[in-house]
Amino acid sequence: MTSFKRGLIAQTVLGAAALALAGFAAPALADTPKDALVMAWQFDDIVSLDPGEIFELSGAEYSAQVYDRLIHFDVNDVSKIEGEAAESWTVSPDGKTFTFKIRDGIAFHSGNPMTAEDVAWSFSRAVKMNKGPAFILTQFGLTPENVDQMVRATDPKTLVFTTDKVYAPTFVLYCLTADVASIVDSKLVKGKEKDGDFGAGWLKTNSAGSGPFILKQWKASELLTFDANPKYWRGAPKLKRVLIRHIPEPATQRLLLEKGDVDVARNLKPEQFEPLKSSDAIRLVQAPKGTLWYLSLNQKNATLAKPEVREAFKYLVDYDGMAGTIMNGIGAVHQAFLPKGFLGAVNDNPYKYDPAKAKELLAKAGYPDGFTVSMDVRNTNPTQDMAQAIQASAAKAGVKIEIIPGDGKQVLTKYRARNHELMIQQWGADYQDPNSNADTFASNPDNSDNAKSKPLAWRNAWDIPELTKKTAAAIEERDGAKRAQMYEELQRSVLADSPFVIMFQQTEMVAERKSVSGLVWGPSFDTNYYWKAEKK
């Protein structure tokens, strides 16, 4: 991009930011309001604001600001599960019934009091709508026909959650920390229903939570704003508003941050970190995430379905080269499907860039001169840079990759329809139990196009009945050591034979102005919290 065009983009963004901030009665440009947090971020992957549908990283972060859940985990020690809307809970001796007591004094943004009936209806709604994240609840035997019996309020303050069989208790509890378990205002949402849609049409662009912030406005790939909830049960946020601008270009994010037009920049490139380290006005915050970057090969493509081709691609990625450049400071090489810190995680990385080895494997598959294939990528960084690096490294073995960029929603829609060939994506665990990733990378109960369950293995048409059985068995094992061993074996099977080239575990590097404090950057995007932020 020429410097002239870059300047025009910067002026356009600055002007847009100024207009947006005008509604906050802001002082002069380059001085954000004292009572507002202004953030530059890439959030073009948001498809819906409905917690019963949210299944993207940015959407997960949105829901954490607006909704409460029954329970959560300590962001500094994920082994500690704590109450949120539930002040306490018990597990029956047979391990199948979980009883939660709802704390007093929680009100939704509408003013309606939260009750156990709201929780039961929220879970029932998610199961009956059966959107992408519904499997997190339905894996416990919940169906549209039985959910109202298996999840029920026995009185306004008591919720009983029953599973179809015995599971590891922590597995059940971690699942209830997921976005899909967010509690919606049933009275409000029921009033917005149309044609039996459970209010989904309305909740796609509106909110009905009890969290620290109230949605003010969402413009896809443009703007996301919140107002503080002054009656939040854990204490009102110190800042009255949050404004988030979708700024896709890292250079523009840095310019806005240095000028003081934003308080936080989320998507800077590694080469931009070093100059900021000496800044008196800006701090860099590292937040290790349980989020993985991976390349996937659609097995509907006859070429990519050959075992030798799958293996060859694991030698066509220059992991160390990208780790020292594109991913420097924002990701570490990690090749197993469980991130570091998860029970049973495999942390050795057996694959290295070896185009000669890849070429041998391609010759065995019948492609001594390589082949041509397309790769879909989100047109944001570092995805674009990663795609270009893989394009160059694969070319050394004769594999010609055509890069097809698109915005987050376009790329995800294509992926979820299994219409890609190669795809670079991120995957963040839905909850802190190892099954969150095993169930998507190592399980595919039905490989047909109209399957009810559509994990990542399904998206890439990888038909794995034996691994699916082993994944199902692991969630029933109550002995922690045995369970860890089961997940290690699953990871090694996926490493050896899968259509997934898992490359990096993300470290989120956030640049904040030093006038801001109190932001929480947790191990997952739905444990990034704004409500304790303040400014001086």
Side-chain angles (χ1 to χ4, degrees), residues 139-140 165-172 175 337-338 343-344 431 433-440 442-443 465-491:
Q139 64 189 336
F140 299 114
K165 57 186 177 183
V166 178
Y167 299 91
T170 52
F171 169 50
V172 178
C175 285
F337 68 66
L338 285 181
L343 177 72
Y431 45 89
D433 186 271
N435 185 68
S436 179
N437 282 20
D439 195 49
T440 200
S443 178
E466 290 306 312
L467 278 183
T468 300
K469 289 177 185 176
K470 291 180 180 179
T471 298
I475 59 175
E476 297 180 27
E477 178 55 62
R478 305 189 77 178
D479 183 291
K482 290 180 181 178
R483 196 164 180 244
Q485 180 63 34
M486 294 169 82
Y487 285 113
E488 181 176 342
E489 291 174 4
L490 282 169
Q491 287 168 92

Side-chain angles (χ1 to χ4, degrees), residues 207-281:
S207 68
S210 57
F213 288 99
I214 304 165
L215 173 69
K216 182 176 181 181
Q217 185 180 28
W218 171 50
K219 291 185 177 180
S221 300
E222 185 178 340
L223 180 69
L224 183 62
T225 62
F226 305 94
D227 285 337
N229 174 12
K231 297 182 179 179
Y232 185 47
W233 62 275
R234 285 192 283 195
K238 290 182 168 42
L239 298 178
K240 292 182 179 179
R241 300 175 183 87
V242 175
L243 181 147
I244 306 174
R245 303 287 314 181
H246 174 65
I247 309 293
E249 183 158 336
T252 307
Q253 286 197 18
R254 177 184 169 186
L255 175 63
L256 292 168
L257 182 71
E258 290 182 317
K259 285 181 171 290
D261 296 325
V262 301
D263 301 305
V264 180
R266 300 279 297 275
N267 305 101
L268 303 185
K269 287 188 172 185
E271 61 264 27
Q272 296 169 328
F273 299 149
E274 201 60 40
L276 294 178
K277 288 179 181 178
S278 60
S279 171
D280 294 331

